[in-house]
Amino acid sequence: MCGIVGAVSTRNIVPILVQGLARLEYRGYDSCGVAVHAQGLTRARSTSRVAELSEQVMDSQLEGSTGIAHTRWATHGAPVVHNAHPHFSHGPGLDAASRPGRVALVHNGIIENHDELRAMLQAKGYVFQSQTDTEVIAHLIDNLYDGDIFEAVKAALGHLQGAYAIAVFCKDEPHRLIGARAGSPLILGVGKEGQEHFLASDAMALAGVTDQIVYLDEGDVVDIQLGKYWLVDKNYKPVAPAQRPVKTVVAHSGAAELGPYRHYMQKEIFEQPRAIADTLEGVSGIVPELFDGNASAARVFKDIDSVLILACGTSYYSGCTAKYWLESIAKIPTQVEVASEYRYRDSVPNPRTLVVTITQSGETADTLAALRHAQSLGMTHTLTICNVATSAMVRECELSYITRAGIEIGVASTKAFTAQLAGLFLLTLALAQAKGNLSDEEEARHLKAMRHLPAALQAVLALEPQVIAWSEDFAKMENALFLGRGLHYPIAMEGALKLKEISYIHAEAYPAGELKHGPLALVTSAMPVVTVAPNDALLEKLKSNMHEVRARGGVLYVLADADTKIESGEGLHVIRMPEHYGELSPLLHVVPLQLLAYHTACAKGTDVDKPRNLAKSVTVE
C-alpha cells in the first residue's frame, strides 16, 4: 500500500527518492510523486508507474537536497494526478494554480475527521486542490506555522483523528524534514557519517542507501536536519538515543529477477519448495524456544488454555486451517476472527488466551489494531506468525515465529501463505507438546512429514500443464464455486480468493455439505465447481456432494488424491495429486488452486502482479 521516502542531504536526493519508490512498488499503488526544496516547492506526479515518474523527473531536471516521495493507494478521491502526493499547502490569498504555499507533505493512513478540518480551513481561506484527507494536514500545518515547522507539526497532530505516518518540509526552512507516526509505520534511516538522514515507511526503500535504522514508536515525532536528528514521544517528551537505538537492518533491494517466469506470482508459486525449506531450516525438534521473542514461550505456553487467531485476507484462511490442527492435535479450543471486525464488537476476554496474529508484512493496520484491542482487554499473551522480523507486529508481540518466504512481489500471496501454514503447524505441535498431547513417536512422524514437504510440493508443481488446460475453460466463465470439507474448506476459500483477485472472475467457496442448503440453486453448466478431494474421513460424503452437482448439469473440476477412485468423465475433470499428505495436505492442495488462478488470469490478459484496486501491504483500516 502507500509508501513514503524522504531525505535531507547535501547532495541531490531525487534519484534516491525515486529508487526508494521503485523498491516499494510491490506494495501496490495507483499514483506516485516526488517533491523537493529547490528555491521553493517543486514536484512531479504521475498516475502511471514509477518508471514514468522517473522519466518525468529527468525531463524536468528536478533536483534538490531535501525532499519527499510517495506511492498512493487511493482511499479519499480517485486515482488522478491532483489527488496524488506530495500535497502542497495553499494559504489564504495565494493563487493556488500558479503559486504553491510553503508546506509539502506525504501521508499514509486515514484522517477520520478530515471533513470537519476541511470546513474549518476553507473558512480561513485555504484553497483545496484535491479530494484527499491528506491535503487537510498540509493546510492545517501551514495554518499553525509560526517560523518552526517542528512545532507546527506537533500542534497539528493534536487536531488529527485516525491513523497516519507523515513526512513534511517547509520552503522557509531548507534542510529540515519532520516525520510523525500514529497507527502507520515509519522509520528513520541514519546516513553516512550522520551527514544525511532519511525517512521511509519500509526499510526496503533505503536498501543500498543505509542499513542503519531507527524504528519510531507509536506517537513519535522526529526532526531531521543536516548532521543531526532528535525525537519526541507521544507526550512530546524528548527521547534518549538508548530508547530508540540504531539497528543494523539488511533489507532486500527488491530487485528480484524474473528469470524464466512470466510474472512474479508464477515465480513465487514455484519458489514454495524453497520457502518451506527455509522456513523449517534449523527445526530439528519441537521446543518452545522456536517461538521465543520478547518473552519466554515455555512460560507462556504453560499458562494459556485457548487460542484466538486474528488475521485478514489470505492470512485469515491460514488461521482457519490452523484451527483444525490446534483443536484436533493440540486439543486447545481455538477461535479465528477477521481482524477488521474483531475490535468493533463486544467479546468475552480470557487472560489465559494466546492471541495469535498472522500477517505477511507485519504492518497490516487492521491486524495491528485488533492485537492492541485484545491487549487492552487484558489478553497479554501474544504471538505472531510473520514474514518480516523487523516489523511492528513482531516488536509488539511477546512471541514470534518468523517465516522465511522471502520478499513477495505479487500482490496475491502464494509462498507467504504456505510458509504461514508451516509456521502454524509447528505452533500446533509446540502447544500439543506443552499440554502433554504429543508423544515422541507423533513428533517424529510429523517432523518427517514436514521435512518431506519441499519434495512433495515439487511434485505438485509438475501438474502445471494439466492446470493450464483447466484455465482455458475458466477464462470463458464469469462465476465459479469452490468446495471443500473439514480441513480443506479454508483451502477452497483461498482458491476462490485467488481467482477473484487476479482474474476478476466472481468466485465463492462453501463447505461441500452446505451446497444443498442454497448454493446448489446456482449450479449450471456455466458454473464450474472446483472440488478439493483428499482421501480423508470425509471423502465419501464429499463424493455425495459431487453427485448433487452432476445431477444438476454442473461441471466438476476435482483435485483428488491418487487413491480416491474418482475418475474423469463427462462433466468431471480430475487432476490427481501425487500423494496423500494427511494433516499437511492443505499445503499441497492449495498449489494447483494458485496455478489455476494464475493461468486463468494470463488467459484473460489481466495485470497478474498488480491486480486492480488492490495493494500488497494494507496499512489503512
Side-chain angles (χ1 to χ4, degrees):
M1 195 163 270
C2 303
I4 288 174
V5 192
V8 171
S9 178
T10 56
R11 56 174 166 160
N12 175 29
I13 45 78
V14 172
I16 292 173
L17 298 179
V18 174
Q19 181 185 61
L21 293 187
R23 288 173 175 162
L24 296 178
E25 281 193 289
Y26 77 98
R27 297 164 70 100
Y29 65 102
D30 43 48
S31 64
C32 51
V34 59
V36 294
H37 191 293
Q39 307 304 315
L41 305 184
T42 308
R43 68 184 169 191
R45 299 184 290 178
S46 173
T47 54
S48 186
R49 297 300 182 199
V50 170
E52 194 278 336
L53 177 69
S54 180
E55 292 179 6
Q56 191 182 141
V57 164
M58 290 176 64
D59 291 344
S60 64
Q61 298 183 330
L62 188 68
E63 293 185 357
S65 54
T66 300
I68 51 179
H70 192 263
T71 52
R72 174 181 185 252
W73 184 78
T75 54
H76 295 75
V80 293
V81 171
H82 66 262
N83 286 329
H85 300 212
H87 286 287
F88 293 164
S89 63
H90 300 282
L94 288 178
D95 178 359
S98 61
R99 195 153 59 97
R102 58 192 169 190
V103 172
L105 177 141
V106 292
H107 162 231
N108 290 352
I110 291 178
I111 303 304
E112 295 172 356
N113 61 331
H114 66 97
D115 282 336
E116 172 190 331
L117 293 173
R118 180 183 292 260
M120 180 269 288
L121 290 162
Q122 284 176 327
K124 290 176 176 286
Y126 281 87
V127 180
F128 283 80
Q129 299 294 299
S130 77
Q131 289 78 50
T132 68
D133 54 338
T134 299
E135 192 181 1
V136 168
I137 313 174
H139 294 328
L140 181 62
I141 293 170
D142 182 280
N143 181 62
L144 295 168
Y145 183 73
D146 189 24
D148 188 325
I149 189 64
F150 186 61
E151 294 301 322
V153 169
K154 288 196 301 181
L157 297 180
H159 296 274
L160 302 182
Q161 297 172 14
Y164 55 81
I166 60 173
V168 189
F169 71 89
C170 177
K171 77 170 187 178
D172 296 338
E173 298 182 70
H175 293 119
R176 195 176 191 190
L177 179 64
I178 312 301
R181 65 153 297 194
S184 290
L186 193 66
I187 62 168
L188 164 68
V190 179
K192 297 175 183 177
E193 299 177 357
Q195 292 304 303
E196 58 183 9
H197 300 302
F198 307 89
L199 286 175
S201 51
D202 188 323
M204 186 183 300
L206 304 180
V209 178
T210 182
D211 61 359
Q212 301 299 292
I213 302 298
V214 176
Y215 289 95
L216 303 186
D217 275 12
E218 187 77 357
D220 280 358
V221 186
V222 60
D223 187 341
I224 299 171
Q225 300 184 34
L226 280 178
K228 59 184 177 181
Y229 67 86
W230 61 87
L231 294 94
V232 296
D233 64 17
K234 62 184 178 182
N235 297 313
Y236 303 142
K237 294 182 178 179
V239 175
Q243 295 175 277
R244 305 286 188 274
V246 177
K247 298 182 179 181
T248 300
V249 177
V250 180
H252 192 286
S253 70
E257 296 294 332
L258 271 175
Y261 302 101
R262 291 177 60 188
H263 300 92
Y264 283 107
M265 182 179 178
Q266 185 187 29
K267 178 176 184 283
E268 288 152 12
I269 290 172
F270 276 82
E271 286 177 340
Q272 287 177 113
R274 180 203 56 76
I276 296 299
D278 289 349
T279 295
L280 300 177
E281 185 180 1
V283 179
S284 57
I286 301 302
V287 292
E289 288 74 22
L290 288 171
F291 302 90
D292 279 354
N294 303 316
S296 163
R299 175 183 60 78
V300 173
F301 288 174
K302 287 180 182 177
D303 193 43
I304 62 103
D305 61 12
S306 63
V307 172
L308 169 63
I309 296 175
L310 303 172
C312 300
T314 286
S315 296
Y316 171 75
Y317 297 143
S318 71
C320 290
T321 306
K323 174 182 170 70
Y324 287 90
W325 290 332
L326 287 161
E327 295 196 337
S328 66
I329 298 173
K331 311 300 182 187
I332 295 179
T334 301
Q335 184 178 356
V336 188
E337 294 266 3
V338 175
S340 59
E341 290 290 315
Y342 169 68
R343 68 185 176 122
Y344 294 113
R345 70 173 187 83
D346 292 332
S347 58
V348 181
N350 172 9
R352 296 190 64 193
T353 293
L354 177 63
V355 179
V356 177
T357 63
I358 311 170
T359 163
Q360 185 271 330
S361 68
E363 305 290 352
T364 307
D366 286 319
T367 310
L368 280 167
L371 168 70
R372 293 162 185 160
H373 177 66
Q375 291 169 326
S376 74
L377 296 176
M379 295 189 287
T380 58
H381 293 321
T382 57
L383 181 150
T384 188
I385 305 291
C386 183
N387 198 43
V388 182
T390 56
S391 64
M393 192 68 75
V394 173
R395 296 196 303 275
E396 294 189 26
C397 285
E398 273 191 320
L399 310 175
S400 61
Y401 190 83
I402 308 303
T403 57
R404 298 178 182 176
I407 184 173
E408 199 175 54
I409 303 293
V411 166
S413 180
T414 52
K415 64 178 181 175
F417 175 73
T418 48
Q420 286 172 353
L421 289 178
L424 287 162
F425 194 75
L426 283 175
L427 174 61
T428 298
L429 299 183
L431 289 173
Q433 184 188 73
K435 299 302 180 185
N437 295 320
L438 186 72
S439 68
D440 291 344
E441 293 77 14
E442 289 170 325
E443 177 184 345
R445 176 176 65 84
H446 288 308
L447 285 174
K448 181 180 179 181
M450 294 196 80
R451 283 192 286 270
H452 182 59
L453 271 172
L457 284 165
Q458 205 68 57
V460 175
L461 288 167
L463 300 172
E464 185 180 33
Q466 297 177 58
V467 178
I468 292 173
W470 282 14
S471 71
E472 293 170 357
D473 294 340
F474 276 75
K476 304 169 189 173
M477 303 298 177
E478 295 182 357
N479 304 281
L481 288 175
F482 286 69
L483 303 179
R485 295 205 72 143
L487 186 62
H488 293 82
Y489 168 48
I491 299 307
M493 290 194 286
E494 172 63 7
L497 177 63
K498 285 290 159 285
L499 193 67
K500 280 183 279 197
E501 282 181 305
I502 62 170
S503 76
Y504 314 145
I505 293 172
H506 173 249
E508 296 295 336
Y510 290 91
E514 285 295 294
L515 194 65
K516 58 185 174 291
H517 294 294
L520 196 58
L522 297 172
V523 172
T524 68
S525 59
M527 174 75 81
V529 181
V530 181
T531 307
V532 182
N535 189 12
D536 59 16
L538 292 171
L539 177 62
E540 293 307 316
K541 293 187 181 297
L542 182 63
K543 286 181 177 179
S544 297
N545 303 137
M546 291 164 56
H547 285 301
E548 294 166 0
V549 172
R550 294 191 70 185
R552 274 76 180 178
V555 181
L556 284 161
Y557 293 80
V558 184
L559 295 170
D561 283 348
D563 48 0
T564 54
K565 298 180 181 178
I566 300 173
E567 304 293 337
S568 295
E570 185 177 352
L572 178 58
H573 307 275
V574 178
I575 291 179
R576 297 211 174 281
M577 301 291 287
E579 57 185 308
H580 175 57
Y581 221 67
E583 294 96 339
L584 290 167
S585 174
L587 280 86
L588 302 190
H589 275 275
V590 75
V591 174
L593 299 179
Q594 295 169 347
L595 287 169
L596 177 61
Y598 170 73
H599 285 291
T600 301
C602 288
K604 294 192 68 178
T606 62
D607 190 343
V608 172
D609 288 331
K610 297 182 177 70
R612 69 188 181 203
N613 304 333
L614 300 181
K616 183 67 179 172
S617 180
V618 185
T619 55
V620 297
E621 187 179 347

